[in-house]
């Protein structure tokens, strides 16, 4: 195989207890030799998935279980954020602190904060430590290129957080809006079938993803 060296450091934030795409993405990050995971944080889910109380912690547990089954080296603790939307008031949550602490990791590789869910934890971290904006590049799967955000899940789960983060002029943002990510649609049934087949042939984390 062609040797691949790490090209970036990543902090990964998602609503792991929501749609299954988050855990699939986490598995890809953990399998990739091109990045080094510094921290993983868990955000609230939209009420469409049920009462929000405890969902951030439930998501953290799911992400930790996946990394444990994958036997990921230097497995990070997954820190949960709040079960409520961004308030505009300082909240030193475990997730916000984990993001800030990881951003203090000194290294030559670029530092990316990859968020494929609501921006609640990112907003809390930026409000708690504004200098964070100069240390990271935010990679966000969310919002709409047209500005019509009302129907985009990651935006409308916490609009106040999205508006606060996107308004930060010091923050470099790579945005993958709905017009982009909706071109890559895979049904839950297709994922279920593919991962079950993988689980029969490999080490079993496909089973973890379909549980």
């Amino acid at each position: 195989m062609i040797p691949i060296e790490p090209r970036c450091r990543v902090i990964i934030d998602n609503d792991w207890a929501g749609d299954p795409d988050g855990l699939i993405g986490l598995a890809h990050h953990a399998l990739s030799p091109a990045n080094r995971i510094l921290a993983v944080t868990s955000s609230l889910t939209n009420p469409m998935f049920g009462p929000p109380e405890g969902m951030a912690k439930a998501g953290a547990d799911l992400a930790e279980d996946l990394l444990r089954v994958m036997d990921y080296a230097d497995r990070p603790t997954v820190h949960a954020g709040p079960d409520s939307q961004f308030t505009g008031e300082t909240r030193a949550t475990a997730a916000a602190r984990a993001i800030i602490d990881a951003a203090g990791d000194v290294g030559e590789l670029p530092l990316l904060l990859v968020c494929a869910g609501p921006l609640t934890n990112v907003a809390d971290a930026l409000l708690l430590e504004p200098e964070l904006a100069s240390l990271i590049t935010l990679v966000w799967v969310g919002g709409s290129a047209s500005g019509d955000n009302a129907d985009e899940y990651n935006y409308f789960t916490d609009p106040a957080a999205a508006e606060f983060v996107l308004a930060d002029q010091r923050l470099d943002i790579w945005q993958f809006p709905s017009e982009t990510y909706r071109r890559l649609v895979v049904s839950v049934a297709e994922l279920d079938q593919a991962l079950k087949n993988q689980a029969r042939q490999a080490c079993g984390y496909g089973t973890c993803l379909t549980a």
Side-chain angles (χ1 to χ4, degrees), residues 182-204:
R182 286 175 180 168
R183 297 179 183 179
L184 308 171
V185 178
V186 179
S187 71
V188 173
E190 289 174 294
L191 283 176
D192 188 54
Q193 182 63 29
L195 290 168
K196 283 182 177 177
N197 287 338
Q198 178 271 336
R200 296 188 189 102
Q201 301 170 20
C203 60

Side-chain angles (χ1 to χ4, degrees), residues 13-79:
D13 180 84
N14 212 316
D15 53 338
W16 310 110
D19 289 324
D21 61 334
L23 293 172
I24 301 292
L26 179 60
H28 276 281
H29 278 287
L31 289 168
S32 174
N35 59 214
R36 180 162 63 89
I37 299 174
L38 298 185
V40 181
T41 54
S42 178
S43 66
L44 77 162
T45 57
N46 190 276
M48 66 183 289
F49 291 105
E53 290 75 17
M55 292 295 278
K57 177 60 168 62
D61 291 342
L62 288 171
E64 281 198 340
D65 284 346
L66 175 60
L67 293 172
R68 175 182 52 78
V69 170
M70 296 183 71
D71 196 23
Y72 183 76
D74 300 320
R75 185 169 69 249
T77 298
V78 183
H79 297 277

Side-chain angles (χ1 to χ4, degrees), residues 16-181:
W16 310 110
D19 289 324
D21 61 334
L23 293 172
I24 301 292
L26 179 60
H28 276 281
H29 278 287
L31 289 168
S32 174
N35 59 214
R36 180 162 63 89
I37 299 174
L38 298 185
V40 181
T41 54
S42 178
S43 66
L44 77 162
T45 57
N46 190 276
M48 66 183 289
F49 291 105
E53 290 75 17
M55 292 295 278
K57 177 60 168 62
D61 291 342
L62 288 171
E64 281 198 340
D65 284 346
L66 175 60
L67 293 172
R68 175 182 52 78
V69 170
M70 296 183 71
D71 196 23
Y72 183 76
D74 300 320
R75 185 169 69 249
T77 298
V78 183
H79 297 277
D83 289 317
S84 57
Q85 295 176 328
F86 180 63
T87 65
E89 298 181 0
T90 301
R91 300 188 292 191
T93 67
R97 290 282 1 150
I99 291 171
I100 293 167
D101 290 345
D105 176 77
V106 178
E108 296 181 0
L109 296 174
L111 178 58
L112 308 180
L113 199 172
V114 181
C115 180
L119 288 169
T120 310
N121 292 333
V122 182
D124 279 337
L126 283 169
L127 185 61
L128 189 62
E129 181 49 75
E131 291 305 313
L132 176 67
S134 64
L135 301 175
I136 64 171
T137 295
L138 173 65
V139 181
W140 186 42
V141 180
S144 169
S146 67
D148 183 16
N149 296 304
D151 293 329
E152 200 286 306
Y153 170 85
N154 290 337
Y155 184 96
F156 77 69
T157 295
D158 195 344
E163 291 173 8
F164 178 81
V165 171
L166 297 178
D168 194 325
Q169 297 298 311
R170 298 170 302 168
L171 181 64
D172 288 334
I173 302 174
W174 301 347
Q175 183 177 2
F176 295 83
S178 57
E179 291 86 348
T180 298
Y181 73 71

